[in-house]
Amino acid sequence: MTTYCGTGLFAGVDLEQLVEHEGTPLYVYSAAMIRSRVRALQQALQGLDAGIRYAVKANGNLAVLQLLAQAGAGADIVSAGELQRALRAGFAAADIVFSGVGKTDAEIDMALTAGIGRFNVESRAELDAIQRIAVSRGLIAVASVRINPDVDAHTHAKISTGKAENKFGVALDEARTWFDHKANWPNVQLDGLHMHIGSQLLDLAPVAEAAQRMAEFCKQLIMAGHPIHSLDVGGGLGVRYRDGEVAPLAAAYAAILRTAFAGFDGRLLVEPGRWLVAEAGVLVSRVVLVKQGESRHFLVLDAAMNDLLRPSLYEAWHDIVRVGGEAGREIVHYDVVGPVCETGDTFAVGRPMPRCEAGDVVAILGAGAYAASMGSTYNSRPLPAEVLIDDSRYAVVRKRQTFDAMIAGEQPATDWKQP
Ligand code: LLP
């Protein structure tokens, strides 16, 4: 029996056996771990009028979404596709918030008519569009203004979102003028604030600072006669990807919110993605071959950057373990790479690992968030299968993509038309 890297994440499930049946690359998720993360956050938030709005972009697999909906979370969506996934998975429309800097009219219309709980508005043009579409449908849209608190989240530049120069949200002064002139948007019930300062936050100090700014601004708005019913602090809670990193505790996060928003009598919303699912997933892959370069040992896997983009895009670290045991094996420093024709297709450089051979199975850890959801078919590599494990059982929750499914929709240029 493989007890996956001693953590017990998939205790009772033999991953080697699993990939004999389901092939590789294979995403494997633990239902128990996802449920326990939701519970932990709910417990930390107990006593507050607070709701979880899971960021669907982290992992939008329908079975994963269904688990989260059943556990009592709502959803944070950023596209019509995510809206449809969330509804299909069973989230109540009222528990869905719609974030994003470029919502199209069609997306706004779809969300409005579905009856979502709240729009997180990022620009005046968007506010105008929501008003126009709400009038045409005879509906009232409930909305929060996404403020940009201008704090440095101390995370990777590509996932930092709360500095003034980032494209997200609006400055407090701009937000204030929207509230002061809210009669201009009679079909928009503007009664909330939203923010999201960045992702993979290991240091909670910027969260505390941003929350203070939001709380202070909220007080000013209320004093100016604008009722505020909802404060959404976004996502961002980081997880431990490697030794030495210390992930914040849910309790510490909740304590910050309690302090910052003491006295606020509306609803608090949090939009975690990664924290709920990242550590519940692994990408299991087989070693295609071992290649001895002039100065480096390459471990060539059958998974690649199209399956898991984070290392290529952000130089992100993911632990990699040999499934089936490491004991007694000589340590070799490997460049762990995929078969895609780019040097960037590298999962790890000079990584000390037990000696591996062709055919061995390895697991790339921390692959439950921003992993399958960021996958592509680059190099004409079909999307991998995904399985969900619950106790000693597993279910295929996404079939391995076939070649035909991958090219569906493509056709020879025979049907020529005039634009
Ligand atoms: N709310 C909003 C408005 C967001 O933009 C995001 C993430 C979240 C919530 C959830 O953040 P989380 O709790 O997962 O940190 N692909 C990158 C991460 C991008 C995050 C984008 N926004 C990565 O792989 O690290």
Side-chain angles (χ1 to χ4, degrees), residues 382-405:
L383 297 173
E386 295 170 59
V387 305
L388 184 67
I389 291 190
D390 207 359
D391 287 325
S392 54
R393 304 174 306 171
Y394 79 94
V396 176
V397 293
R398 181 191 183 107
K399 290 184 193 158
R400 187 171 300 285
Q401 194 176 39
T402 60
F403 172 76
D404 284 339

CSV table of all heavy atoms in Angstrom, one decimal, residues 382-405:
chain,number,residue,atom,x,y,z
A,382,PRO,N,-3.7,15.8,-25.0
A,382,PRO,CA,-5.1,15.8,-24.5
A,382,PRO,C,-5.1,16.1,-23.0
A,382,PRO,O,-4.1,15.7,-22.3
A,382,PRO,CB,-5.6,14.4,-24.8
A,382,PRO,CG,-4.8,13.9,-25.9
A,382,PRO,CD,-3.4,14.5,-25.7
A,383,LEU,N,-6.1,16.7,-22.4
A,383,LEU,CA,-6.2,17.0,-21.0
A,383,LEU,C,-6.2,15.7,-20.2
A,383,LEU,O,-6.8,14.7,-20.6
A,383,LEU,CB,-7.5,17.8,-20.7
A,383,LEU,CG,-7.5,19.1,-21.4
A,383,LEU,CD1,-8.9,19.8,-21.1
A,383,LEU,CD2,-6.4,20.1,-20.9
A,384,PRO,N,-5.5,15.7,-19.1
A,384,PRO,CA,-5.4,14.5,-18.3
A,384,PRO,C,-6.8,14.2,-17.6
A,384,PRO,O,-7.7,15.0,-17.5
A,384,PRO,CB,-4.4,14.8,-17.2
A,384,PRO,CG,-4.3,16.3,-17.1
A,384,PRO,CD,-4.7,16.8,-18.5
A,385,ALA,N,-6.9,12.9,-17.1
A,385,ALA,CA,-8.1,12.6,-16.3
A,385,ALA,C,-7.9,13.1,-14.9
A,385,ALA,O,-6.8,13.4,-14.4
A,385,ALA,CB,-8.2,11.0,-16.3
A,386,GLU,N,-9.1,13.2,-14.2
A,386,GLU,CA,-9.1,13.6,-12.8
A,386,GLU,C,-9.9,12.6,-12.0
A,386,GLU,O,-11.0,12.2,-12.4
A,386,GLU,CB,-9.7,15.0,-12.7
A,386,GLU,CG,-8.9,16.1,-13.4
A,386,GLU,CD,-9.6,17.5,-13.4
A,386,GLU,OE1,-9.9,18.0,-12.4
A,386,GLU,OE2,-9.8,17.9,-14.5
A,387,VAL,N,-9.4,12.3,-10.8
A,387,VAL,CA,-10.2,11.4,-10.0
A,387,VAL,C,-10.3,12.0,-8.6
A,387,VAL,O,-9.4,12.7,-8.1
A,387,VAL,CB,-9.6,9.9,-9.9
A,387,VAL,CG1,-9.4,9.3,-11.2
A,387,VAL,CG2,-8.3,9.9,-9.1
A,388,LEU,N,-11.4,11.6,-7.9
A,388,LEU,CA,-11.7,12.1,-6.6
A,388,LEU,C,-11.7,10.9,-5.7
A,388,LEU,O,-12.3,9.8,-6.0
A,388,LEU,CB,-13.1,12.8,-6.5
A,388,LEU,CG,-13.5,13.4,-5.2
A,388,LEU,CD1,-12.6,14.6,-4.9
A,388,LEU,CD2,-14.9,13.8,-5.3
A,389,ILE,N,-10.9,11.0,-4.6
A,389,ILE,CA,-10.9,9.8,-3.7
A,389,ILE,C,-11.7,10.2,-2.4
A,389,ILE,O,-11.6,11.3,-1.9
A,389,ILE,CB,-9.4,9.5,-3.3
A,389,ILE,CG1,-8.7,9.0,-4.5
A,389,ILE,CG2,-9.3,8.6,-2.1
A,389,ILE,CD1,-7.3,8.5,-4.3
A,390,ASP,N,-12.5,9.2,-2.0
A,390,ASP,CA,-13.2,9.4,-0.8
A,390,ASP,C,-13.1,8.0,0.0
A,390,ASP,O,-13.6,7.0,-0.5
A,390,ASP,CB,-14.7,9.7,-1.1
A,390,ASP,CG,-15.3,10.5,0.0
A,390,ASP,OD1,-14.7,10.8,1.0
A,390,ASP,OD2,-16.5,10.8,-0.1
A,391,ASP,N,-12.5,8.1,1.1
A,391,ASP,CA,-12.1,6.9,1.9
A,391,ASP,C,-11.3,6.0,0.9
A,391,ASP,O,-10.3,6.5,0.3
A,391,ASP,CB,-13.3,6.1,2.4
A,391,ASP,CG,-13.9,6.9,3.6
A,391,ASP,OD1,-13.2,7.5,4.3
A,391,ASP,OD2,-15.2,6.9,3.7
A,392,SER,N,-11.6,4.7,0.8
A,392,SER,CA,-10.8,3.9,-0.1
A,392,SER,C,-11.4,3.8,-1.5
A,392,SER,O,-10.9,3.0,-2.3
A,392,SER,CB,-10.7,2.5,0.6
A,392,SER,OG,-12.0,2.0,0.8
A,393,ARG,N,-12.4,4.6,-1.8
A,393,ARG,CA,-13.0,4.5,-3.1
A,393,ARG,C,-12.5,5.7,-4.0
A,393,ARG,O,-12.1,6.7,-3.4
A,393,ARG,CB,-14.5,4.6,-3.0
A,393,ARG,CG,-15.2,3.6,-2.1
A,393,ARG,CD,-16.7,4.0,-2.0
A,393,ARG,NE,-16.9,5.4,-1.6
A,393,ARG,CZ,-18.0,6.0,-1.6
A,393,ARG,NH1,-19.1,5.4,-2.0
A,393,ARG,NH2,-18.1,7.2,-1.1
A,394,TYR,N,-12.6,5.5,-5.3
A,394,TYR,CA,-12.4,6.7,-6.1
A,394,TYR,C,-13.4,6.7,-7.2
A,394,TYR,O,-14.0,5.7,-7.6
A,394,TYR,CB,-10.9,6.6,-6.7
A,394,TYR,CG,-10.7,5.7,-7.9
A,394,TYR,CD1,-10.8,6.2,-9.2
A,394,TYR,CD2,-10.4,4.4,-7.7
A,394,TYR,CE1,-10.6,5.3,-10.3
A,394,TYR,CE2,-10.2,3.5,-8.7
A,394,TYR,CZ,-10.3,4.0,-10.0
A,394,TYR,OH,-10.1,3.2,-11.1
A,395,ALA,N,-13.6,7.9,-7.7
A,395,ALA,CA,-14.5,8.1,-8.9
A,395,ALA,C,-13.7,9.0,-9.9
A,395,ALA,O,-13.0,10.0,-9.5
A,395,ALA,CB,-15.7,8.8,-8.5
A,396,VAL,N,-13.8,8.6,-11.2
A,396,VAL,CA,-13.3,9.5,-12.2
A,396,VAL,C,-14.2,10.7,-12.4
A,396,VAL,O,-15.4,10.5,-12.7
A,396,VAL,CB,-13.2,8.7,-13.6
A,396,VAL,CG1,-12.7,9.6,-14.7
A,396,VAL,CG2,-12.3,7.5,-13.4
A,397,VAL,N,-13.7,11.9,-12.1
A,397,VAL,CA,-14.5,13.0,-12.2
A,397,VAL,C,-14.2,13.9,-13.4
A,397,VAL,O,-14.9,14.9,-13.7
A,397,VAL,CB,-14.4,13.9,-10.9
A,397,VAL,CG1,-15.0,13.1,-9.7
A,397,VAL,CG2,-13.0,14.3,-10.6
A,398,ARG,N,-13.2,13.5,-14.2
A,398,ARG,CA,-13.1,14.0,-15.5
A,398,ARG,C,-12.4,12.9,-16.3
A,398,ARG,O,-11.3,12.4,-16.0
A,398,ARG,CB,-12.2,15.2,-15.6
A,398,ARG,CG,-12.1,15.8,-17.0
A,398,ARG,CD,-11.0,16.8,-17.2
A,398,ARG,NE,-11.1,17.3,-18.6
A,398,ARG,CZ,-11.6,18.4,-19.0
A,398,ARG,NH1,-12.0,19.3,-18.1
A,398,ARG,NH2,-11.7,18.7,-20.2
A,399,LYS,N,-13.1,12.5,-17.4
A,399,LYS,CA,-12.5,11.4,-18.2
A,399,LYS,C,-11.2,12.0,-18.9
A,399,LYS,O,-11.2,13.1,-19.3
A,399,LYS,CB,-13.5,10.9,-19.3
A,399,LYS,CG,-14.6,10.2,-18.7
A,399,LYS,CD,-15.5,9.7,-19.8
A,399,LYS,CE,-16.8,9.2,-19.3
A,399,LYS,NZ,-17.8,9.2,-20.4
A,400,ARG,N,-10.3,11.1,-19.2
A,400,ARG,CA,-9.1,11.5,-20.0
A,400,ARG,C,-9.6,12.0,-21.3
A,400,ARG,O,-10.4,11.3,-21.9
A,400,ARG,CB,-8.1,10.4,-20.1
A,400,ARG,CG,-6.8,10.7,-20.7
A,400,ARG,CD,-5.8,9.6,-20.6
A,400,ARG,NE,-5.6,9.2,-19.2
A,400,ARG,CZ,-4.8,9.9,-18.4
A,400,ARG,NH1,-4.2,11.0,-18.9
A,400,ARG,NH2,-4.6,9.6,-17.2
A,401,GLN,N,-9.2,13.1,-21.8
A,401,GLN,CA,-9.6,13.6,-23.1
A,401,GLN,C,-9.1,12.7,-24.2
A,401,GLN,O,-7.9,12.3,-24.2
A,401,GLN,CB,-9.1,15.0,-23.3
A,401,GLN,CG,-9.8,15.8,-24.4
A,401,GLN,CD,-9.3,17.2,-24.5
A,401,GLN,OE1,-8.1,17.5,-24.3
A,401,GLN,NE2,-10.2,18.2,-24.7
A,402,THR,N,-10.0,12.4,-25.1
A,402,THR,CA,-9.6,11.6,-26.3
A,402,THR,C,-9.0,12.6,-27.4
A,402,THR,O,-9.3,13.8,-27.3
A,402,THR,CB,-10.8,10.9,-26.9
A,402,THR,OG1,-11.8,11.8,-27.3
A,402,THR,CG2,-11.4,9.9,-25.9
A,403,PHE,N,-8.4,12.0,-28.3
A,403,PHE,CA,-7.9,12.8,-29.4
A,403,PHE,C,-9.0,13.5,-30.1
A,403,PHE,O,-9.0,14.7,-30.4
A,403,PHE,CB,-7.1,11.9,-30.4
A,403,PHE,CG,-6.7,12.7,-31.6
A,403,PHE,CD1,-5.7,13.6,-31.6
A,403,PHE,CD2,-7.4,12.5,-32.8
A,403,PHE,CE1,-5.4,14.4,-32.8
A,403,PHE,CE2,-7.1,13.2,-34.0
A,403,PHE,CZ,-6.1,14.1,-33.9
A,404,ASP,N,-10.1,12.7,-30.4
A,404,ASP,CA,-11.3,13.3,-31.1
A,404,ASP,C,-11.9,14.4,-30.3
A,404,ASP,O,-12.3,15.4,-30.9
A,404,ASP,CB,-12.3,12.2,-31.3
A,404,ASP,CG,-11.9,11.3,-32.5
A,404,ASP,OD1,-11.1,11.7,-33.3
A,404,ASP,OD2,-12.4,10.1,-32.5
A,405,ALA,N,-12.0,14.3,-29.0
A,405,ALA,CA,-12.5,15.4,-28.2
A,405,ALA,C,-11.6,16.6,-28.2
A,405,ALA,O,-12.1,17.7,-28.3
A,405,ALA,CB,-12.7,14.9,-26.7
